[in-house]
């Protein structure tokens, strides 16, 4: 039987979000209904509300979530009712060229639930990143659920569903940070801080945090940065070179998404270093570089999509490390809020006051 729950809707471009009754169908083949316990507020939710992703209003927002599986549809074997799960926005297909080559993190045929959640009047909702978890319950593809240890708090577990995984994965999966490496992270919001925490986890010897806001640099130190550079007042490329014996960093992670910071990342790496681009630029942004510099520098230039993560491998591992006290995921939760506070949380996020506000149920 379809059921009615409360969820946060973005009704139209730049209109304030509001809590409405939504209708969740029973799970069909390959689907699961999840009772959401916590869901973090991410920039992408704000971008949906602003119309920056697409025009498929109304959206059901929220996508950084953890909860308990309530019911599964036909043919679902990966999870069962009662399982504690973290949701991911890329259920891989197992069939495409990338999956068959053993690189499912590059799957081009990821999928979501087939059925639609609706408003009471039958209007179909577009769930943010195929999840829609600012809701008491949500309908997803079973492959979007990754079972993890239920001993961890839902507010912490849910973070792995998006930004924190993107940052940690940029360091450990895409960047391949190793013991003794020097790392520079440009932009120390939630994603950059997670890249710092990931670099520390991987054994980096030196982690230089770069930001234009001193408050962010203080937090970066708590996450494991060994040095900080305020790039409003100091040339970050020069500073990073100085801190790395004149060479540049082995791995530079860009977590802003602007031309000037892409350029800084490009020049701040060691000649054989790796640049990892996590910050998402807008369509009109371009970057001009002397070709001789592009040719003359070795190493690698990589972009990192969802931290090149494999949820079934990475989510349980990171939760294990958190439980052992080797990774403090709790440090990313600035505040827990209610379902009616999402609009306020967007304002605080926009002002740079929070790493993560997390809706708890
Ligand atoms: N130089 C250095 N730091 C900058 C600059 C700049 N020119 N401009 C902004 N910043 C800093 C901000 O002060 C902030 O600390 O970058 C940080 C960005 O953090 P958030 O806005 O919290 O964004 P976050 O969620 O971390 O995401 C960063 O990664 O996945 C992408 O889409 C995401 O593009 C975004 C980026
Ligand atoms: Zn695939
Ligand atoms: Zn997100």
């Amino acid at each position: 039987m379809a059921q009615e729950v409360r969820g946060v809707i973005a009704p139209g471009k730049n209109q304030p979000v509001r809590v409405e009754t939504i209708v969740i169908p029973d799970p069909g083949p390959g689907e699961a209904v999840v009772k959401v316990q916590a869901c973090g507020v991410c920039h992408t939710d704000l971008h949906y509300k602003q119309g920056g992703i697409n025009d498929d209003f109304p959206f059901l927002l929220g996508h950084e979530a953890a909860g308990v599986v309530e019911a599964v549809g036909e043919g679902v074997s990966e999870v069962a009712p009662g399982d504690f799960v973290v949701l991911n926005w890329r259920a891989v297909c197992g069939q495409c060229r990338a999956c068959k080559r053993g690189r499912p993190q590059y799957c081009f045929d990821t999928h979501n639930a087939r059925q639609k959640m609706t408003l009471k009047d039958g209007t179909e909702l577009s769930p943010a990143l195929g999840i829609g978890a600012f809701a008491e319950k949500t309908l997803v593809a079973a492959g979007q659920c990754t079972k993890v240890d239920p001993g961890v708090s839902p507010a912490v577990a849910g973070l792995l569903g998006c930004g924190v995984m993107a940052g940690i994965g940029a360091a450990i999966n895409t960047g391949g940070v190793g013991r003794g490496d020097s790392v520079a992270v440009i932009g120390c919001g939630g994603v950059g801080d997670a890249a710092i925490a990931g670099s520390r986890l991987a054994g980096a010897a030196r982690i230089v945090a770069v930001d234009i806001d001193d408050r962010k640099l203080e937090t970066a130190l708590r996450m494991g940065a060994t040095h900080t550079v305020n790039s409003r007042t100091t040339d970050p490329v020069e500073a990073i070179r100085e801190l790395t014996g004149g060479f540049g960093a082995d791995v530079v992670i860009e977590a802003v998404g602007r031309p000037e910071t892409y350029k800084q990342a490009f020049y701040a790496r060691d000649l054989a270093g790796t640049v990892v681009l996590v910050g998402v630029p807008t369509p009109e942004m371009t970057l001009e570089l002397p070709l001789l510099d592009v040719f003359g520098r070795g190493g690698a230039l990589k972009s990192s999509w969802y931290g090149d993560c494999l949820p079934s491998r990475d989510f349980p591992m990171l939760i294990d490390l958190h439980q052992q006290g080797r990774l403090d995921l709790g440090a990313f939760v600035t505040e827990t809020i209610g379902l009616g506070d999402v609009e306020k949380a967007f304002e605080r996020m926009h002002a740079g006051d929070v790493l993560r506000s997390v809706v708890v149920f």
Side-chain angles (χ1 to χ4, degrees):
M1 268 251 302
Q3 38 182 336
E4 294 182 358
V5 300
R6 293 181 315 141
V8 177
I9 306 300
K13 190 167 176 165
N14 281 324
Q15 288 175 30
V17 302
R18 59 173 186 250
V19 178
E20 291 229 10
T21 299
I22 62 171
V23 181
I24 315 277
D26 279 347
E31 294 175 342
V33 168
V34 174
K35 193 168 187 305
V36 181
Q37 293 179 313
C39 182
V41 181
C42 173
H43 279 83
T44 304
D45 295 306
L46 179 59
H47 292 161
Y48 272 109
K49 173 195 145 168
Q50 294 168 331
I53 311 257
N54 61 52
D55 288 328
D56 298 338
F57 290 98
F59 292 108
L60 173 59
L61 298 181
H63 60 273
E64 268 187 21
V68 174
V69 175
E70 181 184 78
V72 296
E74 208 184 298
V76 173
S77 56
E78 53 271 71
V79 285
D83 283 350
F84 179 58
V85 294
V86 176
L87 302 182
N88 74 77
W89 35 275
R90 290 175 58 81
V92 300
C93 76
Q95 303 294 327
C96 71
R97 185 163 169 267
C99 283
K100 284 185 175 153
R101 293 169 110 194
R103 299 164 76 193
Q105 65 272 39
Y106 297 114
C107 174
F108 359 94
D109 199 17
T110 58
H111 60 281
N112 308 124
R114 276 207 198 88
Q115 300 181 85
K116 292 283 185 188
M117 293 177 274
T118 64
L119 293 175
K120 274 181 88 166
D121 65 5
T123 307
E124 289 190 352
L125 294 167
S126 307
L129 291 173
I131 294 181
F134 288 149
E136 291 158 325
K137 293 178 187 179
T138 189
L139 174 78
V140 292
Q144 291 181 268
C145 300
T146 304
K147 196 174 163 175
V148 298
D149 189 320
V152 68
S153 99
V156 161
L159 295 174
L160 292 175
C162 186
V164 169
M165 185 67 247
I168 295 179
I172 66 177
N173 292 333
T174 318
V177 172
R179 272 191 304 282
D181 279 353
S182 57
V183 177
V185 176
I186 303 177
C188 302
V191 174
D193 278 344
I196 291 170
S199 300
R200 172 159 81 173
L201 203 57
R206 195 156 277 230
I207 304 172
V208 185
V210 179
D211 205 290
I212 50 175
D213 181 341
D214 282 330
R215 290 178 305 169
K216 303 289 182 166
L217 293 173
E218 270 166 42
T219 317
L221 283 173
R222 288 205 296 279
M223 297 289 178
T226 58
H227 300 79
T228 61
V229 176
N230 187 322
S231 55
R232 257 196 215 294
T233 50
T234 307
D235 177 351
V237 176
E238 287 301 314
I240 291 165
R241 286 223 182 104
E242 255 167 52
L243 289 164
T244 52
F247 295 110
D250 295 311
V251 180
V252 183
I253 299 167
E254 199 280 0
V256 183
R258 298 192 50 80
E260 65 271 24
T261 44
Y262 265 51
K263 195 166 182 176
Q264 289 161 4
F266 181 81
Y267 285 106
R269 79 178 192 271
D270 178 86
L271 281 182
T274 300
V275 176
V276 179
L277 305 168
V278 200
V280 183
T282 56
E284 72 283 359
M285 290 178 180
T286 59
L287 179 61
E288 202 169 295
L289 286 170
L291 277 188
L292 206 49
D293 286 356
V294 177
F295 173 75
R297 304 180 71 86
L301 197 56
K302 294 174 153 187
S303 59
S304 184
W305 184 236
Y306 204 176
D308 285 339
C309 78
L310 203 51
S312 56
R313 174 193 66 193
D314 295 338
F315 292 179
M317 169 192 67
L318 293 172
I319 283 178
D320 186 23
L321 290 168
H322 168 75
Q323 286 176 315
Q324 290 180 43
R326 294 163 69 190
L327 170 68
D328 183 8
L329 291 173
F332 290 90
V333 181
T334 313
E335 59 175 1
T336 55
I337 59 173
L339 202 53
D341 303 325
V342 171
E343 190 64 51
K344 249 185 289 167
F346 281 150
E347 283 162 29
R348 296 198 64 200
M349 183 173 76
H350 192 67
D353 293 341
V354 290
L355 271 182
R356 273 294 182 271
S357 305
V358 181
V359 174
V360 291
F361 295 87

